[in-house]
């Protein structure tokens, strides 16, 4: 009883931790800022993903009417000249909109906030990069995300059960893990990507999309683990250690930020490529 409570408690908190990490580490997470310029505060969030069906809003909360701002932007990745877009005041907000792009098109941009001859740039160093995508039907997207969460949950539970010596439920847990990863990652995942970027699969051997590749590896390893766990019994430890190894593979997969090295529009050729995404204010090497 104590071991079971420990396993499910740790499983819950580890799954929650990885979900939070996936949210805040990926290249679609908003760039938050809270700056002071000449004694006036300016705050907000810079979007890094938007629908192809509309222009992308840029807003700065700046109650002091003396504060002004402008957006410096260009297409990414290109060597285009930077364009300057003044932001207009709407009460306590400064607003601008960046032009919508084709599917997988990206824009990189800074916001320059000024007052009384002083100014700050947000982000301070690397520009924020926003990617445009097609709209995914809510039912498909929710189903995909739910299956991936549940798959992570059962993967952790199965691996911890095997690690702590439990065997009676290994077969059931391993099969549930594979099922949810298969449906969520290998069936619903490509459908989501088709709606968003007009391609079912951009991983190996057709491309280098890390999200596609890591999901395929995770599902494949759990397929083998589920097969070996069917034979797990006293004196046959192979299934147990396969479950532990598969759990660790999923940890690594979910530790990789979502959507990096994903679909990017090449503005010169009009084709989709896999470009390494900027995370936060720096570029992964």
């Amino acid at each position: 009883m104590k071991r079971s409570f420990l396993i499910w408690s740790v499983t819950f908190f580890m799954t929650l931790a990885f979900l939070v990490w996936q949210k805040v580490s990926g290249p679609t997470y908003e760039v938050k800022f809270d700056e002071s310029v000449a004694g006036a505060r300016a705050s907000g969030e810079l979007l890094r993903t938007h629908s192809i069906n509309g222009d992308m809003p840029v807003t700065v909360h700046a109650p002091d009417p003396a504060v002004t701002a402008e957006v410096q932007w260009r297409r990414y990745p290109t060597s285009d000249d930077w364009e300057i877009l003044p932001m207009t005041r709407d009460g306590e907000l400064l607003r601008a909109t960046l032009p919508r792009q084709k599917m997988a098109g990206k824009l990189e941009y800074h916001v320059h906030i000024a007052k009384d001859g002083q100014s700050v740039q947000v982000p301070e160093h690397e520009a924020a990069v926003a990617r445009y995508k097609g709209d995914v039907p809510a039912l498909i997207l929710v189903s995909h995300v739910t299956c991936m969460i549940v798959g992570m949950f059962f993967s952790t539970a199965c691996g911890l059960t095997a690690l702590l010596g439990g065997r009676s439920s290994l077969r059931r847990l391993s099969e549930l893990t594979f099922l949810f990863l298969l449906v969520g990652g290998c069936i619903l995942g490509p459908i989501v990507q088709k709606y968003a970027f007009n391609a079912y699969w951009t991983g190996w051997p057709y491309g280098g999309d890390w999200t596609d590749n890591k999901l395929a590896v995770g599902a494949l390893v759990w397929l083998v683990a589920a097969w070996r766990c069917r034979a797990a019994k006293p004196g046959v430890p192979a299934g147990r250690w396969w479950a532990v190894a598969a759990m660790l593979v999923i940890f690594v997969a979910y530790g990789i930020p979502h959507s990096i090295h994903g679909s990017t529009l090449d503005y010169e050729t009009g084709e989709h490529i896999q470009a390494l995404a900027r995370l936060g204010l720096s570029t992964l090497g």
Side-chain angles (χ1 to χ4, degrees):
M1 183 65 179
K2 290 183 179 180
R3 181 173 62 185
S4 178
F5 177 78
L6 175 63
I7 288 173
W8 292 109
S9 296
V10 173
T11 294
F12 173 80
F13 286 108
M14 290 191 71
T15 302
L16 182 62
F18 272 100
L19 292 178
V20 172
W21 167 253
Q22 283 280 299
K23 171 64 178 175
V24 303
S25 66
T28 61
Y29 189 61
E30 300 86 358
V31 177
K32 298 182 180 181
F33 64 93
D34 190 347
E35 301 288 345
S36 177
V37 53
R41 289 190 62 186
S43 60
E45 297 179 348
L46 304 183
L47 300 179
R48 291 200 287 172
T49 183
H50 195 63
S51 170
I52 60 173
N53 295 316
D55 296 338
M56 187 181 74
V58 181
T59 60
V60 175
H61 181 246
D64 189 330
V67 174
T68 60
E70 61 184 21
V71 182
Q72 181 186 42
W73 69 276
R74 67 180 178 183
R75 299 181 302 174
Y76 176 87
T78 71
S79 57
D80 293 352
D81 293 333
W82 290 94
E83 298 195 33
I84 303 298
L85 177 64
M87 301 185 73
T88 58
R89 181 165 288 278
D90 179 12
E92 294 188 348
L93 297 178
L94 293 167
R95 299 182 183 274
T97 55
L98 293 178
R100 66 179 181 178
Q101 302 294 302
K102 294 181 179 180
M103 194 172 283
K106 292 181 178 180
L107 299 179
E108 58 177 333
Y109 67 106
H110 294 278
V111 175
H112 295 269
I113 306 167
K115 179 189 174 185
D116 297 338
Q118 299 182 34
S119 66
V120 295
Q121 174 178 281
V122 180
E124 182 179 0
H125 302 295
E126 294 281 359
V129 177
R131 179 170 64 167
Y132 288 73
K133 60 185 180 63
D135 296 328
V136 182
L139 180 60
I140 293 176
L141 184 60
V142 170
S143 298
H144 163 65
V145 173
T146 299
C147 284
M148 298 311 300
I149 293 173
V150 176
M152 171 69 181
F153 184 82
F154 281 128
S155 171
T156 306
C158 187
L160 291 178
T161 298
L163 188 63
L164 296 178
R167 299 194 182 190
S168 60
S169 58
L170 278 186
R171 175 174 177 176
R172 175 167 53 87
L173 288 173
S174 63
E175 291 174 348
L176 285 172
T177 300
F178 172 68
L179 175 64
F180 280 102
L181 292 178
L182 175 67
V183 174
C186 299
I187 297 177
L188 292 175
I191 295 175
V192 169
Q193 183 157 262
K194 178 64 175 179
Y195 276 105
F197 302 114
N198 197 34
Y200 284 109
W201 187 262
T202 55
W204 187 86
Y206 303 108
D209 190 313
W210 288 18
T211 299
D212 285 356
N213 288 336
K214 71 181 184 180
L215 292 178
V217 170
L220 180 61
V221 172
W222 267 109
L223 171 62
V224 177
W227 171 62
R228 295 306 303 266
C229 284
R230 292 174 65 90
K233 57 185 179 180
V236 185
R240 172 188 176 187
W241 295 114
W242 266 101
V244 174
M247 175 187 69
L248 295 177
V249 168
I250 293 299
F251 283 170
V252 172
Y254 277 67
I256 299 173
H258 193 272
S259 296
I260 69 169
H261 211 40
S263 297
T264 298
L265 177 65
D266 186 325
Y267 283 100
E268 292 187 1
T269 65
E271 298 180 350
H272 287 191
I273 59 175
Q274 279 72 56
L276 195 60
R278 291 180 182 172
L279 305 185
L281 306 182
S282 62
T283 303
L284 289 182

